[in-house]
Amino acid sequence: FLEAGHLALVRARAKEAGLLDVSAKAATSLLRYVGEVPADRAFFEAGIACREANMLNMAFVFLNRYLDLTEAMDDPDADGGSASTLENADFVDTDIPYDFMLPEKHFVQEATREDVRDWVLALSMDQAVEQSLSTRTCSSCGGDTYAAAITCHKCKAKADACTVTGYPIPAGQRVMHEGRPARKDDWNKWVMKFQNDPWSGAAAQPKY
């Protein structure tokens, strides 16, 4: 849960500082902890962060999931209060949980939920936007797996998680600081903005 708290802090601080891609990655990584953190809030914040970072395919999937969750929350008896009966095809090959108890209270007001519905509906008509999660090429097996997954769903090879964003670190892009790995670009974006290590808060420098 310490990791989830760290990612939530990075998401919020990066957003305030205009590091929208870093914020979106941290919010996406935070989805690994759905169930430990309220699911509707996690998917809402990930979807909005991805939308602000122009990661529209990810935003579509996350906000669509958010809407499914809110509808289930409005009728908990139909699902026994669990998300396990929802359509989970988008998340089968990811590290995002899909069997968890639904929150009892909505994170945002109905007017905001209606705005999200309208946006998702409009985007669903846009042929230029893929309605699926982004993928990355696994450095071990060469197969495509979910972009934010630490473990490849095909060969189970595990990548290091970036201490800034929680995203897997691509081959050749790893730097180390105080024993924790980071993706060089994201580390440098953070440190040039805040001059500190996002994990410990201690002063830190860019790495080249």
Side-chain angles (χ1 to χ4, degrees), residues 4-124:
H6 165 67
L7 291 169
L9 184 63
V10 168
R11 179 201 62 76
R13 290 198 68 199
K15 179 176 180 175
E16 289 172 3
L19 300 177
L20 299 182
D21 57 333
V22 171
S23 180
K25 287 180 181 178
T28 299
S29 296
L30 191 54
L31 292 175
R32 292 182 204 125
Y33 302 93
V34 160
E36 297 177 43
V37 297
D40 65 325
R41 175 174 182 167
F43 278 101
F44 176 82
E45 290 184 334
I48 297 300
C50 287
R51 184 173 75 178
E52 291 173 344
N54 206 35
M55 298 159 61
L56 297 182
N57 61 313
M58 301 280 271
F60 177 86
V61 174
F62 295 153
L63 289 176
N64 204 37
R65 179 61 157 184
Y66 163 74
L67 292 174
D68 288 346
L69 289 170
T70 60
E71 288 172 12
M73 288 165 64
D74 285 336
D75 189 14
D77 294 338
D79 299 293
S82 170
S84 60
T85 59
L86 299 179
E87 173 54 58
N88 291 308
D90 286 330
F91 303 100
V92 168
D93 293 330
T94 75
D95 54 4
I96 299 173
Y98 47 85
D99 186 2
F100 50 84
M101 297 306 292
L102 297 168
E104 294 181 4
K105 293 183 178 180
H106 289 287
F107 175 57
V108 295
Q109 300 297 317
E110 173 59 32
T112 303
R113 302 202 294 274
E114 195 59 45
D115 289 343
V116 170
R117 283 189 201 99
D118 291 344
W119 186 83
V120 168
L121 181 60
L123 203 67
S124 70

Side-chain angles (χ1 to χ4, degrees), residues 112-185:
T112 303
R113 302 202 294 274
E114 195 59 45
D115 289 343
V116 170
R117 283 189 201 99
D118 291 344
W119 186 83
V120 168
L121 181 60
L123 203 67
S124 70
M125 310 290 185
D126 188 342
Q127 300 297 315
V129 177
E130 289 278 341
Q131 295 177 15
S132 59
L133 296 171
S134 299
T135 59
R136 65 178 177 88
T137 301
C138 173
S139 59
S140 292
C141 71
D144 288 337
T145 194
Y146 169 52
I150 297 303
T151 302
C152 172
H153 78 279
K154 292 183 176 178
C155 73
K156 308 305 179 189
K158 199 167 183 180
D160 285 330
C162 174
T163 195
V164 182
T165 66
Y167 253 53
I169 303 171
Q173 297 185 36
R174 186 177 74 164
V175 294
M176 297 294 294
H177 183 79
E178 303 292 338
R180 292 180 66 88
R183 181 173 180 260
K184 183 167 73 171
D185 286 353

